[in-house]
Amino acid sequence: ADFSVSGWIKPTAASGVHIIFASGNGTGAGEWQLWHGGDFVVELDSGGSVSAGPASTDWQHVFLSYTTADKKLAFYCNNVLRNTATGAGTGAYGAGKVFSVGKWAAGSYLYDGLVDEVGIWSRVLTADERAELYNSGDGKFFNGTNFV
């Protein structure tokens, strides 16, 4: 199913693997994750891993959207598209999948930093909706339809 995830982060660690958002069951199949270790990395279905540029230790807005039709996970930082990952596309979440903030589904790769204003939607938000979340500057809650 299509989805969007949004939040504000302020990492404190500059190296290692630190999961920001993840969904899965700890096996790698049908999972996705956003992590940083100096650079942001977006991973989809254990093999669709792409670098998405440097991660700052300042507050920054992170946004992911997944489209089922093209099996792509797009990553935006501060409302700028950084990269997309393409995978086998077994879906973002559902039966047997755990959504987590600050750790991998299996419980490791703990995030070191602050997280605020996390939102999850069961659809891909529009560019205007994504911009509204970012431009608020304070993690403004978007009160749209299909909010999970």
Side-chain angles (χ1 to χ4, degrees), residues 50-138:
V50 296
S51 177
S56 166
T57 55
D58 296 327
W59 278 105
Q60 54 208 308
H61 182 253
V62 293
F63 180 90
L64 292 158
S65 62
Y66 177 77
T67 52
T68 307
D70 59 5
K71 299 178 174 146
K72 285 191 179 180
L73 185 63
F75 169 63
Y76 297 80
C77 182
N78 296 330
N79 205 31
V80 174
L81 179 64
R82 290 283 194 94
N83 211 336
T84 59
T86 304
T90 56
Y93 47 79
K97 307 267 176 71
V98 175
F99 174 74
S100 58
V101 176
K103 67 176 186 169
W104 188 45
S108 55
Y109 305 114
L110 301 179
Y111 176 74
D112 189 2
L114 302 172
V115 179
D116 195 19
E117 301 295 330
V118 174
I120 307 167
W121 295 262
S122 60
R123 64 182 177 87
V124 174
L125 296 186
T126 67
D128 287 344
E129 292 167 336
R130 187 181 67 247
E132 182 179 343
L133 287 168
Y134 170 67
N135 290 327
S136 66
D138 61 358

